[in-house]
Amino acid sequence: MNFNQTFLNKLSEAKKIVFFTGAGISAESGIPTFRGKDGIWNKLKPEELANFNAFMRNPQMVWEWYNHRKKIIHEAKPNAGHIAISEMQNLFDEVTVVTQNIDNLHRRAGSKNVFELHGNIERNYCIDCRTFYNEELDFSSGVPKCKCGGLIRPDVVWFGEYLPQDQFSGGEKASVLSDMFFVVGTSAVVYPAAGLVYAAKQAGSYIVEVNIEETEISSSCDESFFGEAGKILPEIVNQIKKLKLR
Ligand code: APR
Ligand code: ZN
């Protein structure tokens, strides 16, 4: 891959890097994305599965869907894209991951500084008293219930719900302080998460997109690399190592 001189200069000068990631970075780990040709939302309706009312109407069905996704995620492994981002931690002063994904693959790849804007499928909590249940849940008598009798739900952000404030503000701070902001594997159509691209841009960060196709934000990026994240990100790591050797 050829990188232009502006990009190479930015790479060699950068101290603080943010990777803002979406489902596309986990696609090569076998986890389906939401939109695009084989996206989940082409077959299933988010309003029936990924919102609180759907859960209260039919908790059994929503849990069946999340347990199905959990099974896929448990069988998945971090791919070369996740690993490249983790490697960048040794090449820059500060690397922050701000992910929309709930699959925990960035941490499993070794990334330390991770903000999860949409929660994490490994965690669950009671809708009444918010007690957390992060060990294996018991589905033998139907939908798992808390000691207080409340229903237990996955700790993921559903449509229409607020993002965890500590995660969003942490991700936003890193984004506006970044020298380079990589947008990897996201259609960037879900807010407020997608708003971080513009927050970083307005704060003067160099915006680099990595996606297999053009997206709504491509025209706002300083640079777009079209191809699989699992191929492009390791090439960028190799490029940085060459620059550091000079
Ligand atoms: N490498 C890079 N990009 C890829 C790859 C790949 N191997 N495969 C797919 N993509 C891109 C697609 O082109 C698309 O732009 O990843 C993006 C995935 O977009 P979505 O499926 O919309 O996923 P995402 O942007 O993460 O969705 C945001 O929507 O449903 C909610 O909460 C859910 O966090 C999710 C949010
Ligand atoms: Zn409870």
Side-chain angles (χ1 to χ4, degrees), residues 46-82:
E47 56 278 7
E48 282 173 14
L49 289 168
N51 78 33
F52 185 72
N53 296 334
F55 180 72
M56 293 314 282
R57 256 195 326 270
N58 190 340
Q60 185 84 23
M61 182 182 72
V62 172
W63 263 116
E64 268 164 31
W65 187 57
Y66 276 95
N67 282 336
H68 167 67
R69 288 181 69 196
K70 252 183 179 170
K71 194 166 161 310
I72 297 171
I73 286 169
H74 286 161
E75 284 155 12
K77 287 192 179 40
N79 64 57
H82 297 105

Side-chain angles (χ1 to χ4, degrees), residues 121-140:
I121 203 165
E122 308 294 337
R123 295 191 304 262
N124 316 285
Y125 65 87
C126 167
I127 60 171
D128 290 343
C129 68
R130 292 190 72 88
T131 302
F132 271 82
Y133 290 84
N134 298 337
E135 65 289 343
E136 268 311 298
L137 295 172
D138 173 11
F139 285 86
S140 53

Side-chain angles (χ1 to χ4, degrees), residues 21-28 32-36 39-41 46 50 69 79 99-102 118 157-159 184-190 193 209-215 225 227-232:
T21 65
I25 194 165
S26 296
E28 292 159 78
T33 59
F34 295 99
R35 299 169 186 85
I40 292 174
W41 297 145
R69 288 181 69 196
N79 64 57
T99 189
Q100 300 168 91
N101 300 340
I102 60 172
H118 292 164
V157 177
W158 282 330
F159 286 102
V184 184
T186 181
S187 55
V189 293
V190 174
E209 180 178 37
V210 177
N211 200 307
I212 51 172
E213 60 190 13
E214 281 224 8
T215 64
F225 296 118
E228 293 185 324
K231 294 201 177 41
I232 291 176

Side-chain angles (χ1 to χ4, degrees), residues 25-235:
I25 194 165
S26 296
E28 292 159 78
S29 296
I31 299 176
T33 59
F34 295 99
R35 299 169 186 85
K37 63 181 174 21
D38 310 324
I40 292 174
W41 297 145
N42 297 352
K43 300 176 224 48
L44 300 168
K45 294 201 181 69
E47 56 278 7
E48 282 173 14
L49 289 168
N51 78 33
F52 185 72
N53 296 334
F55 180 72
M56 293 314 282
R57 256 195 326 270
N58 190 340
Q60 185 84 23
M61 182 182 72
V62 172
W63 263 116
E64 268 164 31
W65 187 57
Y66 276 95
N67 282 336
H68 167 67
R69 288 181 69 196
K70 252 183 179 170
K71 194 166 161 310
I72 297 171
I73 286 169
H74 286 161
E75 284 155 12
K77 287 192 179 40
N79 64 57
H82 297 105
I83 293 163
I85 290 176
S86 162
E87 270 190 73
M88 302 251 199
Q89 294 174 122
N90 312 321
L91 300 167
F92 291 99
D93 291 3
E94 200 179 287
V95 174
T96 305
V97 174
V98 183
T99 189
Q100 300 168 91
N101 300 340
I102 60 172
D103 58 30
N104 214 29
L105 287 182
H106 283 297
R107 280 214 187 82
R108 284 176 54 193
S111 285
K112 306 261 179 302
N113 201 12
V114 180
F115 290 103
E116 293 171 319
L117 301 182
H118 292 164
N120 184 318
I121 203 165
E122 308 294 337
R123 295 191 304 262
N124 316 285
Y125 65 87
C126 167
I127 60 171
D128 290 343
C129 68
R130 292 190 72 88
T131 302
F132 271 82
Y133 290 84
N134 298 337
E135 65 289 343
E136 268 311 298
L137 295 172
D138 173 11
F139 285 86
S140 53
S141 36
V143 175
K145 288 226 173 85
C146 171
K147 295 186 283 301
C148 79
L151 288 177
I152 295 175
R153 59 168 280 179
D155 182 18
V156 296
V157 177
W158 282 330
F159 286 102
E161 293 187 324
Y162 287 109
L163 277 57
Q165 191 46 44
D166 61 329
Q167 299 298 302
F168 187 75
S169 46
E172 187 178 42
K173 190 163 164 247
S175 301
V176 299
L177 292 174
S178 67
D179 301 310
M180 291 182 90
F181 184 92
F182 286 80
V183 190
V184 184
T186 181
S187 55
V189 293
V190 174
Y191 285 78
L196 292 181
V197 180
Y198 302 100
K201 185 172 179 65
Q202 261 146 27
S205 192
Y206 192 75
I207 314 296
V208 183
E209 180 178 37
V210 177
N211 200 307
I212 51 172
E213 60 190 13
E214 281 224 8
T215 64
E216 300 211 348
I217 55 146
S218 297
S219 54
S220 310
C221 295
D222 297 296
E223 195 87 52
S224 286
F225 296 118
F226 293 118
E228 293 185 324
K231 294 201 177 41
I232 291 176
L233 291 174
E235 298 234 8

